[in-house]
Amino acid sequence: MTESAATAKTAEIVRGNWERVQEQVAAAMEAASRNDEIQIVGVSKYVGPELTQQLVQAGCTVLGENRPQVLWAKDEWFRQNSDAQPAWHMIGHLQRNKARRTLPILSYLHSVDSLRLAKTLSEETAKIGSQLPILLEVNVTDDESKTGLPVAQLFELVEEVSDMEELRIEGLMAMSTHFSGGDQARREFAEVRKLRDKLQESFSHMEFTELSMGMSGDYREAIAEGATMVRIGSSLWEGIDR
Ligand SMILES: *Cc1c(COP(=O)(O)O)cnc(C)c1O
Protein backbone atom coordinates (compact mmCIF):
# COMPACT_ATOMS: atom_id res chain seq x y z
CA MET A 1 0.00 0.00 0.00
CA THR A 2 1.47 3.29 -1.01
CA GLU A 3 -0.19 5.99 0.97
CA SER A 4 -0.51 9.54 -0.17
CA ALA A 5 -1.00 11.82 2.79
CA ALA A 6 -4.41 12.04 4.37
CA THR A 7 -5.01 15.67 5.22
CA ALA A 8 -7.94 17.94 6.07
CA LYS A 9 -8.04 18.74 2.38
CA THR A 10 -8.31 15.10 1.28
CA ALA A 11 -10.98 14.51 3.93
CA GLU A 12 -13.04 17.25 2.35
CA ILE A 13 -12.55 15.87 -1.16
CA VAL A 14 -13.44 12.34 -0.10
CA ARG A 15 -16.54 13.55 1.72
CA GLY A 16 -17.63 15.47 -1.37
CA ASN A 17 -17.03 12.43 -3.57
CA TRP A 18 -19.03 10.19 -1.24
CA GLU A 19 -21.92 12.63 -1.30
CA ARG A 20 -21.80 12.89 -5.09
CA VAL A 21 -21.70 9.11 -5.54
CA GLN A 22 -24.73 8.69 -3.26
CA GLU A 23 -26.58 11.29 -5.30
CA GLN A 24 -25.61 9.64 -8.58
CA VAL A 25 -26.78 6.26 -7.37
CA ALA A 26 -30.03 7.77 -6.08
CA ALA A 27 -30.58 9.44 -9.46
CA ALA A 28 -29.99 6.13 -11.25
CA MET A 29 -32.48 4.42 -8.94
CA GLU A 30 -35.02 7.12 -9.70
CA ALA A 31 -34.38 6.86 -13.45
CA ALA A 32 -35.06 3.13 -13.15
CA SER A 33 -38.27 3.85 -11.17
CA ARG A 34 -36.91 1.87 -8.25
CA ASN A 35 -37.63 2.65 -4.64
CA ASP A 36 -36.15 -0.47 -3.07
CA GLU A 37 -32.84 -0.51 -1.24
CA ILE A 38 -29.39 -0.46 -2.78
CA GLN A 39 -26.07 -1.00 -1.04
CA ILE A 40 -23.09 1.04 -2.13
CA VAL A 41 -19.87 -0.85 -1.50
CA GLY A 42 -17.07 1.72 -1.40
CA VAL A 43 -14.05 0.15 -3.06
CA SER A 44 -10.99 1.24 -1.08
CA LYS A 45 -8.33 -0.81 -2.93
CA TYR A 46 -6.81 2.29 -4.56
CA VAL A 47 -5.66 3.94 -1.35
CA GLY A 48 -3.96 3.21 1.95
CA PRO A 49 -5.59 2.91 5.37
CA GLU A 50 -5.62 6.60 6.28
CA LEU A 51 -7.51 7.69 3.19
CA THR A 52 -9.74 4.66 3.61
CA GLN A 53 -10.52 5.90 7.10
CA GLN A 54 -11.51 9.28 5.71
CA LEU A 55 -14.09 7.54 3.54
CA VAL A 56 -15.44 5.72 6.59
CA GLN A 57 -15.59 9.00 8.49
CA ALA A 58 -17.52 10.51 5.60
CA GLY A 59 -20.14 7.83 6.19
CA CYS A 60 -19.26 5.00 3.80
CA THR A 61 -18.95 2.08 6.19
CA VAL A 62 -19.20 -0.88 3.81
CA LEU A 63 -15.89 -1.30 2.02
CA GLY A 64 -14.70 -3.59 -0.75
CA GLU A 65 -11.15 -4.87 -1.18
CA ASN A 66 -9.87 -7.24 -3.84
CA ARG A 67 -6.59 -8.49 -2.38
CA PRO A 68 -6.47 -10.58 0.79
CA GLN A 69 -3.11 -9.29 2.03
CA VAL A 70 -4.25 -5.69 1.75
CA LEU A 71 -7.46 -6.56 3.53
CA TRP A 72 -5.52 -8.13 6.41
CA ALA A 73 -3.26 -5.11 6.73
CA LYS A 74 -6.11 -2.62 6.64
CA ASP A 75 -8.20 -4.55 9.13
CA GLU A 76 -5.21 -4.60 11.47
CA TRP A 77 -4.66 -0.88 10.97
CA PHE A 78 -8.31 -0.07 11.72
CA ARG A 79 -8.28 -2.17 14.88
CA GLN A 80 -5.28 -0.24 16.13
CA ASN A 81 -6.14 3.23 14.94
CA SER A 82 -9.86 3.67 14.51
CA ASP A 83 -12.96 3.60 16.68
CA ALA A 84 -15.21 2.95 13.72
CA GLN A 85 -14.67 -0.44 12.05
CA PRO A 86 -15.94 -0.82 8.50
CA ALA A 87 -17.73 -3.93 7.27
CA TRP A 88 -15.29 -5.55 4.86
CA HIS A 89 -16.51 -7.10 1.64
CA MET A 90 -14.12 -9.20 -0.42
CA ILE A 91 -14.78 -8.49 -4.09
CA GLY A 92 -11.73 -10.10 -5.72
CA HIS A 93 -10.52 -13.62 -6.17
CA LEU A 94 -9.78 -15.39 -2.91
CA GLN A 95 -7.09 -18.06 -3.09
CA ARG A 96 -7.92 -21.08 -0.98
CA ASN A 97 -4.73 -20.86 1.05
CA LYS A 98 -5.76 -17.36 2.16
CA ALA A 99 -9.28 -18.32 3.24
CA ARG A 100 -8.47 -19.14 6.86
CA ARG A 101 -6.93 -15.79 7.63
CA THR A 102 -9.44 -13.81 5.60
CA LEU A 103 -12.70 -15.28 6.85
CA PRO A 104 -12.75 -13.86 10.38
CA ILE A 105 -12.42 -10.37 8.91
CA LEU A 106 -15.10 -10.67 6.26
CA SER A 107 -18.72 -9.75 6.48
CA TYR A 108 -19.45 -10.61 2.85
CA LEU A 109 -17.77 -12.45 0.00
CA HIS A 110 -18.82 -11.45 -3.53
CA SER A 111 -16.54 -13.69 -5.53
CA VAL A 112 -17.03 -17.42 -5.02
CA ASP A 113 -16.18 -18.96 -8.36
CA SER A 114 -15.43 -22.65 -7.81
CA LEU A 115 -16.53 -25.68 -5.87
CA ARG A 116 -13.02 -26.11 -4.49
CA LEU A 117 -13.11 -22.64 -2.99
CA ALA A 118 -16.62 -23.19 -1.62
CA LYS A 119 -15.50 -26.39 0.11
CA THR A 120 -12.53 -24.69 1.72
CA LEU A 121 -14.70 -21.78 2.83
CA SER A 122 -17.28 -24.07 4.31
CA GLU A 123 -14.65 -26.03 6.28
CA GLU A 124 -12.94 -22.91 7.56
CA THR A 125 -16.20 -21.18 8.43
CA ALA A 126 -17.30 -24.25 10.38
CA LYS A 127 -14.15 -23.95 12.51
CA ILE A 128 -15.03 -20.45 13.62
CA GLY A 129 -18.65 -21.45 14.12
CA SER A 130 -20.26 -18.86 11.92
CA GLN A 131 -22.06 -18.53 8.63
CA LEU A 132 -20.82 -16.54 5.66
CA PRO A 133 -23.07 -14.74 3.21
CA ILE A 134 -21.69 -15.18 -0.29
CA LEU A 135 -22.40 -14.43 -3.91
CA LEU A 136 -21.39 -16.59 -6.82
CA GLU A 137 -19.36 -14.70 -9.38
CA VAL A 138 -20.51 -15.54 -12.85
CA ASN A 139 -18.91 -14.66 -16.19
CA VAL A 140 -21.60 -13.64 -18.65
CA THR A 141 -19.18 -12.02 -21.10
CA ASP A 142 -17.67 -13.72 -24.14
CA ASP A 143 -14.28 -13.07 -22.67
CA GLU A 144 -12.89 -16.28 -21.18
CA SER A 145 -10.02 -14.42 -19.59
CA LYS A 146 -12.48 -12.68 -17.29
CA THR A 147 -12.94 -13.92 -13.77
CA GLY A 148 -16.03 -15.77 -12.70
CA LEU A 149 -17.71 -19.06 -13.21
CA PRO A 150 -18.91 -20.03 -16.69
CA VAL A 151 -22.70 -19.95 -16.84
CA ALA A 152 -22.79 -23.64 -17.76
CA GLN A 153 -21.38 -24.54 -14.33
CA LEU A 154 -23.58 -22.29 -12.25
CA PHE A 155 -26.52 -24.55 -11.47
CA GLU A 156 -24.30 -27.43 -10.46
CA LEU A 157 -22.33 -25.20 -8.12
CA VAL A 158 -25.51 -23.90 -6.49
CA GLU A 159 -26.68 -27.47 -6.03
CA GLU A 160 -23.45 -28.40 -4.25
CA VAL A 161 -23.18 -25.26 -2.15
CA SER A 162 -26.82 -25.42 -1.07
CA ASP A 163 -25.80 -28.40 1.09
CA MET A 164 -23.10 -26.42 2.88
CA GLU A 165 -24.69 -25.00 6.01
CA GLU A 166 -21.86 -22.58 6.65
CA LEU A 167 -22.34 -20.75 3.35
CA ARG A 168 -25.46 -18.80 2.49
CA ILE A 169 -25.73 -17.98 -1.20
CA GLU A 170 -27.58 -14.69 -1.46
CA GLY A 171 -27.22 -14.07 -5.18
CA LEU A 172 -24.83 -13.36 -8.01
CA MET A 173 -21.95 -11.04 -8.75
CA ALA A 174 -20.71 -10.08 -12.21
CA MET A 175 -18.67 -7.61 -14.18
CA SER A 176 -19.36 -6.27 -17.64
CA THR A 177 -16.86 -6.58 -20.49
CA HIS A 178 -15.51 -3.05 -20.62
CA PHE A 179 -16.60 -1.47 -17.31
CA SER A 180 -17.70 1.59 -19.27
CA GLY A 181 -21.43 1.20 -19.62
CA GLY A 182 -23.53 1.32 -22.76
CA ASP A 183 -25.79 -1.21 -24.44
CA GLN A 184 -23.48 -4.18 -24.15
CA ALA A 185 -23.07 -3.70 -20.41
CA ARG A 186 -26.81 -3.42 -20.06
CA ARG A 187 -27.37 -6.66 -21.98
CA GLU A 188 -24.79 -8.45 -19.84
CA PHE A 189 -26.37 -7.23 -16.60
CA ALA A 190 -29.80 -8.27 -17.90
CA GLU A 191 -28.31 -11.70 -18.50
CA VAL A 192 -27.18 -11.89 -14.88
CA ARG A 193 -30.61 -10.86 -13.64
CA LYS A 194 -32.27 -13.55 -15.78
CA LEU A 195 -29.87 -16.15 -14.45
CA ARG A 196 -30.76 -15.11 -10.94
CA ASP A 197 -34.46 -15.46 -11.77
CA LYS A 198 -33.89 -18.94 -13.19
CA LEU A 199 -31.96 -19.97 -10.10
CA GLN A 200 -34.79 -18.72 -7.95
CA GLU A 201 -37.23 -20.86 -9.91
CA SER A 202 -35.05 -23.96 -9.72
CA PHE A 203 -34.11 -23.59 -6.05
CA SER A 204 -37.29 -22.24 -4.58
CA HIS A 205 -36.27 -23.08 -1.00
CA MET A 206 -33.39 -20.58 -1.28
CA GLU A 207 -33.46 -16.82 -1.62
CA PHE A 208 -31.40 -15.15 -4.30
CA THR A 209 -32.10 -11.56 -3.41
CA GLU A 210 -28.77 -9.92 -4.25
CA LEU A 211 -27.21 -8.82 -7.52
CA SER A 212 -23.77 -7.27 -7.09
CA MET A 213 -23.08 -5.53 -10.36
CA GLY A 214 -22.06 -2.07 -11.47
CA MET A 215 -18.87 -0.07 -10.92
CA SER A 216 -17.98 3.60 -11.46
CA GLY A 217 -18.38 3.33 -15.25
CA ASP A 218 -21.48 1.16 -15.52
CA TYR A 219 -23.53 1.51 -12.32
CA ARG A 220 -26.42 3.14 -14.22
CA GLU A 221 -26.87 0.14 -16.50
CA ALA A 222 -26.52 -2.22 -13.55
CA ILE A 223 -29.12 -0.36 -11.50
CA ALA A 224 -31.49 -0.33 -14.48
CA GLU A 225 -31.18 -4.13 -14.52
CA GLY A 226 -31.81 -4.62 -10.82
CA ALA A 227 -28.44 -4.38 -9.06
CA THR A 228 -28.86 -4.45 -5.27
CA MET A 229 -25.17 -3.78 -4.61
CA VAL A 230 -22.90 -1.51 -6.64
CA ARG A 231 -19.14 -1.57 -6.11
CA ILE A 232 -17.85 1.95 -6.61
CA GLY A 233 -14.14 2.74 -6.51
CA SER A 234 -12.63 5.33 -8.88
CA SER A 235 -15.44 7.88 -8.46
CA LEU A 236 -14.79 7.99 -4.73
CA TRP A 237 -11.13 8.84 -5.20
CA GLU A 238 -11.40 11.56 -7.84
CA GLY A 239 -9.10 14.43 -7.02
CA ILE A 240 -6.96 12.28 -4.72
CA ASP A 241 -3.39 11.43 -5.63
CA ARG A 242 -3.23 7.67 -5.59
C1 LIG B 1 -11.78 -2.29 -8.52
C2 LIG B 1 -13.07 -3.01 -8.53
C3 LIG B 1 -14.29 -2.32 -8.52
C4 LIG B 1 -14.39 -0.81 -8.56
O1 LIG B 1 -14.19 -0.37 -9.87
P1 LIG B 1 -14.19 1.20 -10.25
O2 LIG B 1 -14.27 1.18 -11.73
O3 LIG B 1 -12.92 1.75 -9.74
O4 LIG B 1 -15.37 1.81 -9.62
C5 LIG B 1 -15.46 -3.08 -8.50
N1 LIG B 1 -15.43 -4.42 -8.49
C6 LIG B 1 -14.29 -5.12 -8.50
C7 LIG B 1 -14.35 -6.60 -8.49
C8 LIG B 1 -13.07 -4.45 -8.52
O5 LIG B 1 -11.93 -5.15 -8.54
Side-chain angles (χ1 to χ4, degrees):
M1 274 175 288
T2 51
E3 173 75 303
S4 63
T7 61
K9 178 76 186 151
T10 59
E12 194 186 312
I13 296 171
V14 168
R15 185 172 295 275
N17 286 347
W18 170 237
E19 276 162 19
R20 190 193 67 249
V21 164
Q22 288 177 283
E23 285 162 13
Q24 289 170 330
V25 167
M29 289 291 281
E30 175 137 8
S33 306
R34 288 180 53 185
N35 49 24
D36 56 320
E37 296 283 310
I38 186 151
Q39 175 70 58
I40 302 174
V41 179
V43 177
S44 48
K45 68 184 183 191
Y46 299 113
V47 299
E50 298 188 356
L51 285 164
T52 300
Q53 185 188 31
Q54 292 190 331
L55 181 61
V56 174
Q57 286 166 342
C60 178
T61 55
V62 175
L63 299 184
E65 286 284 338
N66 69 339
R67 292 177 47 218
Q69 288 97 327
V70 175
L71 180 63
W72 303 342
K74 278 194 183 169
D75 174 62
E76 188 64 37
W77 188 93
F78 268 83
R79 283 175 200 284
Q80 287 174 10
N81 297 286
S82 174
D83 291 334
Q85 305 298 316
W88 295 109
H89 287 207
M90 180 72 187
I91 59 174
H93 181 68
L94 179 60
Q95 299 90 334
R96 288 185 305 142
N97 63 1
K98 303 210 167 63
R100 179 172 304 170
R101 183 152 174 204
T102 305
L103 280 171
I105 300 171
L106 281 193
S107 61
Y108 216 100
L109 177 56
H110 290 232
S111 43
V112 175
D113 57 2
S114 74
L115 180 57
R116 280 158 47 111
L117 174 60
K119 280 188 174 148
T120 303
L121 291 169
S122 134
E123 286 162 18
E124 295 296 336
T125 308
K127 287 183 198 160
I128 53 177
S130 63
Q131 202 194 34
L132 181 70
I134 63 166
L135 303 174
L136 302 181
E137 182 180 355
V138 65
N139 180 3
V140 292
T141 73
D142 299 327
D143 185 350
E144 283 176 15
S145 69
K146 282 260 180 322
T147 56
L149 188 79
V151 174
Q153 294 169 26
L154 181 63
F155 281 69
E156 201 184 318
L157 183 61
V158 172
E159 181 86 56
E160 302 260 12
V161 177
S162 65
D163 290 334
M164 301 177 187
E165 282 169 25
E166 299 80 12
L167 304 183
R168 190 172 71 248
I169 307 179
E170 298 199 335
L172 300 177
M173 184 272 226
M175 282 187 269
S176 68
T177 304
H178 303 296
F179 312 150
S180 54
D183 291 345
Q184 185 181 359
R186 178 128 188 201
R187 277 195 304 275
E188 289 168 349
F189 292 141
E191 190 64 28
V192 183
R193 176 175 47 75
K194 287 178 201 153
L195 273 174
R196 189 271 310 268
D197 295 346
K198 280 193 209 154
L199 283 174
Q200 190 59 69
E201 260 176 49
S202 305
F203 300 88
S204 53
H205 61 294
M206 297 169 73
E207 278 190 82
F208 300 91
T209 51
E210 307 299 328
L211 286 174
S212 169
M213 50 190 200
M215 325 199 313
S216 295
D218 57 13
Y219 70 90
R220 287 187 188 81
E221 288 81 2
I223 287 172
E225 294 299 339
T228 61
M229 297 180 174
V230 285
R231 309 176 311 272
I232 306 286
S234 316
S235 293
L236 290 171
W237 307 108
E238 265 170 37
I240 301 286
D241 249 352
R242 51 178 170 92

